[in-house]
């Protein structure tokens, strides 16, 4: 399975109510339940 994740999908409202996407390392899990070990890591960086 392949799908794209862009920065607009990772945005949230911070404590000053600004809609932001913060840089950092993330780990995405995908499986039938919360015990899955299927994961992929990615990073969001400022450009």
């Amino acid at each position: 399975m392949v799908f794209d994740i862009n920065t607009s999908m990772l945005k949230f409202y911070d404590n000053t109510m600004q809609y932001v996407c913060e840089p950092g390392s993330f780990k995405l899990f995908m499986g039938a339940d919360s015990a899955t070990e299927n994961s992929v890591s990615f990073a969001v960086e400022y450009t």
Side-chain angles (χ1 to χ4, degrees), residues 16-37:
T16 63
M17 297 307 293
Q18 298 296 310
Y19 197 49
V20 298
C21 175
E22 293 182 342
S25 297
F26 299 87
K27 194 169 194 178
L28 176 69
F29 291 87
M30 182 179 239
D33 56 40
S34 61
T36 188
E37 294 184 11

Side-chain angles (χ1 to χ4, degrees), residues 2-3 7 9 15-16 18-21 23 25-26 29-32 34-35 38 41-42 44-45 47:
V2 176
F3 57 93
T7 55
M9 296 173 165
N15 62 346
T16 63
Q18 298 296 310
Y19 197 49
V20 298
C21 175
S25 297
F26 299 87
F29 291 87
M30 182 179 239
S34 61
N38 300 321
S41 297
F42 63 96
V44 174
E45 299 176 352
T47 57

